């Protein structure tokens, strides 16, 4: 019996203390599997927006995407900080995946007829994270000044989402909004209060130390939303009985826009750790929200652009396209600002940020233009690739310099 208990404890370990966090670990297959369930959830949200392009549905998409993004970032951060390669970590990761899959089931009508199911599914996810964050403080008393208020906030938001089921819409969604604001504002409050409390400040500095594995997870989430752009192109093309030159040109330009977004993020941002300090890490983390939300909306916009390949582009689709791309590029420029410039490329670091931001502003201005579909997409693609060309030219010139 003692041997069984000893073996059980070996495979059912306590949460890893924050001071034991590995700074050179690789992203595990469990984490990749965990991210996969968010592919389905984001796809449901994006497809719902693609069929209803108006301000109301854009606002609804953004609200639900923020909830989704917040769920992902907390599940990801917990695993990076406290996860182990044991049965306990796997069991609780699978439980989270159950609830996220349930959210995906109810996502299409999350602010309509299936809102109660979505609220309960998200409350289930929150309850799991509440327990996990609370347990970190139980096993690591030094972490309690940070884990307890975090777990308390999760418990409050869980109860609010459960209580919202008994409230009729639209008041139900007001409860969701209040709960979401509590979740998102809490880290900022802890940052402010931590200045006055040494124990909280010490734990904040440990938890906000960005590791290469966490940087990679953010890159993987960006890949997820980039996939929605590809899906938008493919679904748009397959809805036509035959392929025309115009449809082929629009599809190719849509793919080019996806390639440009990938190149900008993974060449200028990914694989680089933000500047040291909790403020920089917070900005770096939150700046991923407009980047990923913007790219996901591009998928819905591209699908609508292809659907209107034979017609003049409606103004709402035009603004959805340029607005989403512009938002993503502004977010990428903000991310570059949070990264420490290398000593030999400091000037290029600042210039690339400026070029990407300028491209975003010009793309947004194209919303006022009367360009037809192909010229509009071509102009957007060129503007997105300009920073790439700038980076390549700078790299070639630097390589040509004598050692």
């Amino acid at each position: 019996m003692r041997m069984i208990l000893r073996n059980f404890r070996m495979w059912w370990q306590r949460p890893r203390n924050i001071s034991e966090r590995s700074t050179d670990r690789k992203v595990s297959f469990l984490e990749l599997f965990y991210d996969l369930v968010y592919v389905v959830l984001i796809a449901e949200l994006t497809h719902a927006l693609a069929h209803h392009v108006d301000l109301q549905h854009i606002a609804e998409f953004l609200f639900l995407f923020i909830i989704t993004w917040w769920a992902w970032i907390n599940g990801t951060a917990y695993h990076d900080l406290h996860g182990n390669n044991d049965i306990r970590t796997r069991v609780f990761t699978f439980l989270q995946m159950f609830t996220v899959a349930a959210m995906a089931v109810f996502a299409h009508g999350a602010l309509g007829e299936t809102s109660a199911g979505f609220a309960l599914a998200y409350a289930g996810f929150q309850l799991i994270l509440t327990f996990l964050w609370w347990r970190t403080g139980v096993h690591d008393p030094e972490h309690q000044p940070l884990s307890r208020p975090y777990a308390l906030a999760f418990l409050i938001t869980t109860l609010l989402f459960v209580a919202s089921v008994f409230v009729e819409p639209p008041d139900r969604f007001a409860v969701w909004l209040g709960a979401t604001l509590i979740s998102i504002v809490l880290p900022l409050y802890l940052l402010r209060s931590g200045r006055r409390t040494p124990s909280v400040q010490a734990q904040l500095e440990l938890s906000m130390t960005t590791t290469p594995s966490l940087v990679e997870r953010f890159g993987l989430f960006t890949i997820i939303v980039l996939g929605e752009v590809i899906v938008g192109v493919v679904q748009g093309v397959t809805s036509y009985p035959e392929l025309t030159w115009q449809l082929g040109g629009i599809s190719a330009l849509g793919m080019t826009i996806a390639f440009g977004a990938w190149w900008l993020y993974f060449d200028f941002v990914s694989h680089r750790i933000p500047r040291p300090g909790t403020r920089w890490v917070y900005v770096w983390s939150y700046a991923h929200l407009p980047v990923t939300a913007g790219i996901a909306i591009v998928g819905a916009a591209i699908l609508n652009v292809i659907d209107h390949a034979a017609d003049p582009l409606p103004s709402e689709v035009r603004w959805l396209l340029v607005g989403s791309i512009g938002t993503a590029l502004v977010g990428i420029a903000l991310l570059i600002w949070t990264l420490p410039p290398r000593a030999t490329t400091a000037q290029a670091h600042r210039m690339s940020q400026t070029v990407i931001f300028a491209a975003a502003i010009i793309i947004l201005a194209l919303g006022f233009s009367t360009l037809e579909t192909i010229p509009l997409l071509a102009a957007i693609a060129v503007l997105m690739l300009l920073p790439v060309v700038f980076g390549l030219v700078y790299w070639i010139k630097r390589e040509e310099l004598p050692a």
Side-chain angles (χ1 to χ4, degrees), residues 181-251:
L181 288 175
I182 291 173
S183 298
I184 294 177
V185 170
L186 174 66
L188 303 177
Y189 169 77
L190 290 174
L191 173 63
R192 185 177 181 85
S193 63
R195 301 174 189 172
R196 301 187 298 270
T197 310
S199 58
V200 175
Q201 183 63 29
Q203 293 300 310
L204 272 173
E205 290 176 357
L206 285 173
S207 63
M208 298 305 289
T209 300
T210 309
T211 59
S213 58
L214 186 61
V215 172
E216 185 177 353
R217 291 296 299 279
F218 274 92
L220 292 171
F221 191 79
T222 305
I223 288 288
I224 290 174
V225 294
L226 278 167
E228 288 304 310
V229 184
I230 308 299
V231 170
V233 172
V234 173
Q235 287 188 339
V237 173
T238 55
S239 65
Y240 284 83
E242 59 181 18
L243 185 64
T244 64
W245 285 107
Q246 184 179 18
L247 181 60
I250 293 174
S251 303

Side-chain angles (χ1 to χ4, degrees), residues 346-356 390:
Q347 183 179 3
H349 179 91
R350 292 190 297 268
M351 290 183 64
S352 61
Q353 180 186 358
T354 302
V355 172
I356 292 173
F390 164 78

Side-chain angles (χ1 to χ4, degrees), residues 154-166:
F154 263 81
L155 180 60
I156 292 172
T157 56
T158 300
L159 295 176
L160 286 173
F161 268 89
V162 172
S164 72
V165 175
F166 304 99

Side-chain angles (χ1 to χ4, degrees), residues 50 134 136 145 163:
W134 171 70
T136 62

